[in-house]
Amino acid sequence: MRLAAAALWLGLAMAPLAPSAGLAQAEAKLTYVPAFTIWDVKFGAPITQIPLSAVALIACGTNGGPPSVPLRDFTEFATCPAEASGLHEVFFTYDDEQDYIAKALEDEYRFAQGGTSIYAHPVVFTVLVDAAGIARGIRIVTDERAGERDRRVAVRLADNLRGRYSPWSPACEDIPATDGQQPVGSIFIHQICTGTSPDGDATMRLEATYFRKKGQTSISRETQQVQKNYFQSATRLEVVQQPFAPDATPVR
Amino acid sequence: MRMRAMIAVAFAVLAASPALAGPVEDLISGARQECRGCDLSNASFKKADLSGVDLTGANLSGASFHRAILKGANLTDVIAEDANFNLADLSGAVLAGGRFKGAMFYEAQLSAAKAPGADFSYTMAQHARLTGIDLTGANLDASVLKGARLNNADLTGASLNRTNLDKANIGRTRFDAATIDGAGFVETTGSGAAFRDATITQTDFFGARLDNADFTGARAHANRFTRAKVDLGSIAPDQLTNNIMPDGQVQRSGQ
C-alpha cells in the first residue's frame, strides 16, 4: 500500500516532466473536471459555442437566481427577456451524469467538482447574450438555494475570484451598512471590486456580502427560536465585454 | 463519366438516409420509434426524448438514459443490467419482465409505470418517484429505495430480501403476499399500507410511521418495530413471533 502511494506520489511529482497514459488514467480516477466550464465561454463568439453535451439544463436566467423558462438549446436565447442593458441572460448547469452516478453509489466524495460549482462553492452560472446571439458576458452568483453551511461561506468565494482577476488590478471599496443592515456577530462585509481586463476589452464587478438585512434577526422576537438562515451571504461576479457594463445595483 | 455521377448521387442519397445513421442516432433524432430486440448495450441516450418508443426485448445493458424522457415507452422484456436511468422520466412506461439488475434509477420518475415480474435486484433508486407503479411479482432483492415515493404502488407477491426502503413513503402501497426478509423500513412513513398474507422476517421498522397498516394473514418473525407507530393487532398471535415490539418489549414465541 505504501509502495503504491509512493509510486503515485512519484508519478504526480513527475507529471510536468513526463506525462504518461498511466498517470492520466490515475488522475482521471482522482479528479473530475467538466468538459466545458464557465471560464471557457469566449466573448464575441456565438452562445452556441457551448457544447450541448457539456450541459445538463438550459433555461432563462433570473439575474443570478434560480432558472425560469426551460430552453431546448442555446439557439432559443431570445426567449429570455432582455435586461436593461439589452443582454439576454441564459442559465445553464454543467453535465451532471457523473455526479448522479456517484449519488446512486452513495459515493458523493468521489468527485471533487461536486456539480455546478466554482472553488467548491455551489453557484448559478449565466451567460449574457446580445440580440445577435453573441456571448458578451458571464454572471456567477453563489446559489441561494444551498444549505446553511454553503451559504455561510459563500462570501469567501470572492477571495478566490479576486485572486483570479488580480491581473485586472481590481479596485475595491467597502460599502458601509445601510437600510438597517447589521453585522453577523461582529462581522460585516460589503465590498465591491471593479476592474478592466489588461487588453481593455472587458470589465468586471465583484460584490461580496455578509450581513443581516433589515428584519433578519438571529432569534425570533415572537417565538424566541433561533433563526439559522437569517443572513445575507453571497458573492456575485459579472464580467462583460465593452461597450456593455456590469449591473451596478448593490445588494440591499 | 455518367456512371461515376450516378454512383456519386447514389452515395449521397444513401449517406443522407436515416437508416444508415444507426439505431441509436435514429432513436435519438426521432427518425425511428421502435427498435425491438436491438442490441443497444452501452449506448448513450443521455437527455434524449424517447417518449413512446418500443424497445421490447432490446439489450440495454450498460446504456445511459441519464435525464432521458421515456414517457410511455415500451421496455417489455428488455435486458438493462447496470444501465443508467438516473433522473430519467419513465412515467407510464411498460417495463414488464425486464431485467434491470444493478441499474441506477436515482431520482428517476417511474409513476404509473407497469413493471410486473421485472427484476430490479441490486438497483439504486434513491428518491425515485414510484407512485402508482405496478411491481407485482417483481424482484427487488438488495435494491436501495431510500427516500423513494411509493404511494399507491402495488408490490403484491414481490420479493424484498435485503431491500432498503428507509425513509421511503409507502402510503396505501400493497405488499400483499410479498416476501420481506432482512429489509429496512427505518423511518418509513405512509398510512394505509397493506401487508396482507406477507411473510416479514428480520426486518427493521425502527421509527416507522405506518398508521392504519393492514397485516391480516401476515407472518412476522424476528423483526424490530422499536418506536414504530404501527398496529400489529391484525396478525394472528401464533404468526407474530420473536419481534421487538413498538414499546421495546422483546417478544417470545407466540406472545
Side-chain angles (χ1 to χ4, degrees):
Chain A
M1 189 67 182
R2 270 189 185 176
L3 193 63
L8 180 61
W9 182 87
L10 190 63
L12 289 171
M14 295 293 286
L17 298 174
S20 67
L23 177 63
Q25 283 178 350
E27 284 183 322
K29 285 178 182 172
L30 291 171
T31 59
Y32 170 67
V33 179
F36 187 95
T37 72
I38 188 74
W39 308 118
D40 296 323
V41 174
K42 288 186 175 60
F43 296 170
I47 178 75
T48 49
Q49 69 183 280
I50 304 174
L52 287 178
S53 60
V55 301
L57 300 173
I58 309 171
C60 292
T62 55
N63 195 16
S68 61
V69 182
L71 304 179
R72 193 184 303 271
D73 57 44
F74 288 109
T75 62
E76 296 182 341
F77 72 91
T79 306
C80 309
E83 298 182 348
S85 64
L87 296 173
H88 304 263
E89 187 186 21
V90 181
F91 165 100
F92 73 95
T93 60
Y94 288 155
D95 174 42
D96 52 7
E97 185 176 20
Q98 295 300 321
D99 292 320
Y100 275 87
I101 290 172
K103 282 184 178 185
L105 298 172
E106 303 190 349
D107 190 14
E108 290 175 51
Y109 297 103
R110 195 167 116 193
F111 300 102
Q113 193 66 28
T116 300
S117 62
I118 288 179
Y119 300 107
H121 293 270
V123 292
V124 171
F125 295 144
T126 55
V127 181
L128 304 170
V129 187
D130 70 12
I134 305 299
R136 296 298 182 191
I138 57 169
R139 181 177 286 157
I140 300 171
V141 183
T142 45
D143 195 339
E144 293 285 326
R145 298 165 296 176
E148 189 207 349
R149 186 201 158 276
D150 281 325
R151 254 181 32 79
R152 192 168 287 280
V153 297
V155 64
R156 297 269 70 102
L157 175 60
D159 300 337
N160 299 98
L161 294 175
R162 261 196 309 276
R164 184 179 187 95
Y165 283 91
S166 59
W168 295 37
S169 305
C172 297
E173 180 188 2
D174 289 319
I175 311 297
T178 57
D179 299 334
Q181 294 169 351
Q182 296 285 329
V184 182
S186 60
I187 303 170
F188 180 93
I189 299 170
H190 192 177
Q191 188 182 62
I192 296 173
C193 300
T194 54
T196 304
S197 62
D199 62 3
D201 182 51
T203 55
M204 60 83 82
R205 180 181 182 277
L206 176 65
E207 183 169 13
T209 48
Y210 187 73
F211 51 74
R212 292 193 197 280
K213 292 181 177 177
K214 187 178 183 180
Q216 289 185 325
T217 55
S218 58
I219 295 175
S220 167
R221 289 177 186 165
E222 286 75 29
T223 65
Q224 302 302 307
Q225 297 292 308
V226 174
Q227 303 186 128
K228 276 188 170 180
N229 252 318
Y230 280 46
F231 61 88
Q232 161 74 22
S233 174
T235 294
R236 178 188 176 94
L237 172 71
E238 267 191 55
V239 186
V240 292
Q241 197 175 25
Q242 308 264 19
F244 299 100
D247 182 355
T249 311
V251 172
R252 291 288 177 203
Chain B
M1 192 68 183
R2 193 175 171 187
M3 182 63 84
R4 277 189 186 174
M6 285 175 70
I7 291 170
V9 169
F11 266 108
V13 170
L14 285 170
S17 165
L20 272 187
V24 175
E25 291 79 6
D26 288 349
L27 287 163
I28 291 171
S29 69
R32 191 168 176 172
Q33 282 291 303
E34 65 79 32
C35 204
R36 297 164 71 96
C38 293
D39 182 2
L40 303 170
S41 56
N42 300 309
S44 177
F45 294 96
K46 197 160 89 174
K47 296 189 287 181
D49 187 348
L50 302 171
S51 299
V53 297
D54 184 356
L55 300 175
T56 300
N59 183 357
L60 310 176
S61 294
S64 176
F65 294 89
H66 178 79
R67 285 191 184 273
I69 303 169
L70 290 146
K71 286 182 185 174
N74 191 345
L75 304 181
T76 302
D77 294 329
V78 296
I79 303 168
E81 295 184 355
D82 300 320
N84 177 358
F85 292 94
N86 292 336
L87 294 169
D89 186 349
L90 291 139
S91 48
V94 180
L95 296 86
R99 287 159 51 185
F100 297 92
K101 185 178 179 182
M104 293 177 283
F105 290 89
Y106 194 98
E107 281 185 26
Q109 170 62 273
L110 287 139
S111 296
K114 294 171 180 62
D119 180 4
F120 287 100
S121 59
Y122 295 92
T123 53
M124 289 146 277
Q126 300 96 320
H127 308 289
R129 290 175 179 263
L130 302 148
T131 308
I133 190 171
D134 177 359
L135 285 165
T136 51
N139 180 358
L140 292 154
D141 293 351
S143 59
V144 184
L145 290 149
K146 287 196 281 192
R149 289 171 183 253
L150 278 151
N151 308 56
N152 291 305
D154 189 351
L155 282 83
T156 300
S159 179
L160 292 105
N161 297 317
R162 291 175 289 126
T163 304
N164 189 334
L165 282 154
D166 294 352
K167 295 187 177 176
N169 196 315
I170 58 168
R172 294 174 301 284
T173 290
R174 291 189 293 282
F175 294 92
D176 300 342
T179 304
I180 304 170
D181 178 63
F185 284 74
V186 175
E187 295 181 16
T188 299
T189 59
S191 65
F195 294 85
R196 288 182 290 262
D197 302 316
T199 301
I200 310 165
T201 50
Q202 308 258 11
T203 291
D204 194 353
F205 288 89
F206 183 92
R209 297 181 67 82
L210 302 173
D211 306 86
N212 305 314
D214 184 358
F215 288 89
T216 306
R219 173 177 173 254
H221 176 75
N223 302 292
R224 181 166 82 141
F225 292 100
T226 310
R227 296 189 188 177
K229 188 176 181 189
V230 61
D231 182 0
L232 302 169
S234 55
I235 304 178
D238 63 333
Q239 297 298 314
L240 188 64
T241 54
N242 296 81
N243 299 289
I244 303 175
M245 301 302 279
D247 61 3
Q249 293 292 312
V250 181
Q251 189 192 39
R252 288 182 188 167
S253 184
Q255 280 190 328

